[in-house]
Amino acid sequence: QVQLMQSGGGLVQPGESLRLSCAASGSTTNILDYYAIGWFRQAPGKERERIICMNTLDGSAWSADSVNGRFTSSRDNVKNMVYLQMNGLKPEDTAVYYCATECSDHARNWGPGTQVTVSP
């Protein structure tokens, strides 16, 4: 069984940046073994939103309009980690952020989530 571990997140002011990390443990310690990694978020009272889908082979990614141009994903082949870099954060980016080993809402493996709060 695979467990995903997340780090990063916190409270920032509008316009600031944060970086989230996601790694795997358990039956695999290399999250890059998965073909794609999805980043999702869920704001209070809203449905979960897929914001980035990254191809781990070449690092290419699709991003939602809501974050396009501000959020990027990357991978570290040495540390076996994936990252979500969030720049130009806005109050509407406040949510719990999740990584998953697929880009589908039905992904089998999910991180525990990490809170990102953007507030003046």
Side-chain angles (χ1 to χ4, degrees):
Q1 188 174 2
V2 174
Q3 292 83 42
L4 299 187
M5 303 172 292
Q6 293 183 232
S7 61
L11 172 63
V12 296
Q13 295 186 345
E16 294 185 338
S17 298
L18 280 174
R19 188 178 76 165
L20 307 183
S21 302
C22 182
S25 66
S27 58
T28 181
T29 57
N30 187 359
I31 195 170
L32 300 179
D33 284 345
Y34 291 93
Y35 176 73
I37 296 297
W39 287 97
F40 299 77
R41 68 184 181 185
Q42 188 165 21
K46 294 188 176 181
E47 293 186 353
R48 186 167 56 200
E49 175 189 15
R50 181 177 59 206
I51 55 174
I52 286 190
C53 178
M54 183 180 74
N55 180 322
T56 59
L57 295 178
D58 62 11
S60 62
W62 165 91
S63 58
D65 289 343
S66 57
V67 305
N68 194 28
R70 299 186 299 122
F71 291 12
T72 57
S73 61
S74 62
R75 68 200 194 284
D76 187 321
N77 294 335
V78 175
K79 295 182 178 179
N80 296 334
M81 295 185 72
V82 295
Y83 303 101
L84 176 65
Q85 178 67 42
M86 304 183 292
N87 299 327
L89 283 161
K90 305 175 181 180
E92 52 263 42
D93 294 320
T94 296
V96 178
Y97 285 72
Y98 301 88
C99 59
T101 53
E102 297 171 49
C103 294
S104 165
D105 284 333
H106 304 291
R108 286 168 289 181
N109 304 299
W110 291 83
T114 185
Q115 177 70 45
V116 172
T117 303
V118 186
S119 179

